[in-house]
Amino acid sequence: MDVLPFTELRDRVRRRGIELGAPIRPSFHRLVHVRTGTLEHTVDFTRHTLDAGQWLWVRAGQVLQHSAEGLARAQGTHILWQPGFLPTEPPLDASPLRPEGPHARAVNLALRHLTSQYDDLGSLPLEAHVEVLRHLLAVLLLQLSGVHPPSPSPAAGGDAFHRFHAAVERDFARRHRVADYATDLGYSVRTLTRACAEATGQTAKQYLDARILLEAKRLLVHTDAPSITIGAQLGFMEATDFTKFFRRREGRTPVQFRAQTRGTALY
């Protein structure tokens, strides 16, 4: 894991020859805290504005784009860690979080402890140092998870939705029919549709298509692969099938989407 002030992050990006405002798709989690100034982010095509005192968790695999101007002026901290570094990760709200009052003091104290331990590399054997960082990061995330406490009601959608969600994450690039998932999981299509509607407000087909579309957008923005290659990666036998699928749900062709999102500072 890394704990990086914005100044060090800017220097690291420049040393590697990466454009400061270019879209990236990191394989690690990123927790962003703005101390002063304002920083605009776009995460998976949703724009967020972080003001002083706010936090945002960007998950591994999401497409992230900073405002180059904001990153050059704002001050704060980026905490980076690989998936699996923590045994469990509290579910944090996908929108910016702003702790208030005593809660804010507790979060800031957790950040100071984590930063101090990260900087104090030589005081403990390396294995112990890493273990302390693991626990301090877990404390920080637990403190942040209390900003928007989860509902005490049972998980919406139940076991059927959670199994369907896991199967979609594993197989969306090769299976596009809800009936195939229903057969494998031992449910009816109606049961999966009802579970999805309860958990997300979407039908099972809408949920599956949205996941395919999100991955298509990520690949179009973050890679230079031709549209036909991306369609094949996502299980479309013909390029025209991929274009029709994308246009029907996005209102633009894949080529138009790529050109328009890359043609602005923030998409």
Side-chain angles (χ1 to χ4, degrees):
M1 66 166 291
D2 276 326
V3 181
L4 302 176
F6 285 7
T7 51
E8 186 174 344
L9 179 69
R10 292 192 293 263
D11 291 343
R12 182 179 293 190
V13 166
R14 291 190 181 103
R15 286 197 304 270
R16 295 178 178 178
I18 302 172
E19 183 184 346
L20 198 59
I24 58 175
R25 190 181 184 184
S27 59
F28 46 82
H29 297 295
R30 179 185 301 251
L31 185 63
V32 184
H33 173 238
V34 175
R35 189 175 69 255
T36 63
T38 298
L39 181 60
E40 286 190 347
H41 289 67
T42 298
V43 181
D44 274 348
F45 319 102
T46 298
R47 182 176 296 188
H48 302 284
T49 299
L50 296 185
D51 297 318
Q54 288 190 300
W55 298 76
L56 182 67
W57 184 356
V58 183
R59 269 67 169 183
Q62 292 185 304
V63 170
L64 164 68
Q65 189 173 12
H66 299 291
S67 159
E69 181 179 353
L71 192 60
R73 295 181 178 180
Q75 298 297 323
T77 304
H78 280 241
I79 302 170
L80 320 175
W81 71 96
Q82 293 287 348
F85 182 69
L86 298 177
T88 59
E89 292 168 339
L92 293 190
D93 197 307
S95 58
L97 301 172
R98 183 190 296 279
E100 302 284 356
H103 199 170
R105 290 192 289 273
V107 168
N108 291 335
L109 180 60
L111 175 61
R112 288 198 300 272
H113 282 173
L114 177 63
T115 302
S116 175
Q117 183 62 41
Y118 178 82
D119 292 338
D120 192 14
L121 179 59
S123 63
L124 292 171
L126 181 59
E127 185 175 337
H129 175 75
V130 171
E131 197 61 28
V132 170
L133 290 177
R134 197 189 319 273
H135 283 80
L136 290 175
L137 176 58
V139 169
L140 175 59
L141 292 175
L142 284 168
Q143 291 283 3
L144 286 169
S145 71
V147 175
H148 295 161
S151 169
S153 61
D159 187 58
F161 171 73
H162 292 291
R163 292 183 64 198
F164 179 60
H165 164 77
V168 167
E169 286 299 309
R170 184 181 64 244
D171 295 334
F172 69 85
R174 63 187 186 91
R175 289 188 171 184
H176 297 177
R177 297 175 66 249
V178 175
D180 293 336
Y181 291 91
T183 298
D184 282 355
L185 296 173
Y187 297 110
S188 67
V189 171
R190 180 178 296 181
T191 296
L192 291 182
T193 295
R194 185 170 56 246
C196 273
E198 183 181 343
T200 69
Q202 299 174 301
T203 68
K205 179 58 174 172
Q206 289 170 334
Y207 181 84
L208 173 58
D209 285 353
R211 183 63 184 91
I212 298 167
L213 182 65
L214 173 59
E215 193 67 18
K217 289 180 174 181
R218 287 172 170 175
L219 292 170
L220 286 164
V221 169
H222 186 249
T223 76
D224 293 321
S227 175
I228 187 173
T229 302
I230 291 174
Q233 285 181 247
L234 295 176
F236 292 90
M237 300 300 293
E238 300 290 341
T240 53
D241 292 338
F242 174 55
T243 299
K244 290 176 183 177
F245 169 88
F246 196 96
R247 188 203 293 269
R248 190 179 306 121
R249 288 154 185 82
E250 179 60 24
R252 295 173 280 181
T253 68
V255 172
Q256 290 170 335
F257 173 82
R258 171 179 272 166
Q260 290 168 5
T261 55
R262 287 184 172 184
T264 57
L266 274 177
Y267 45 78

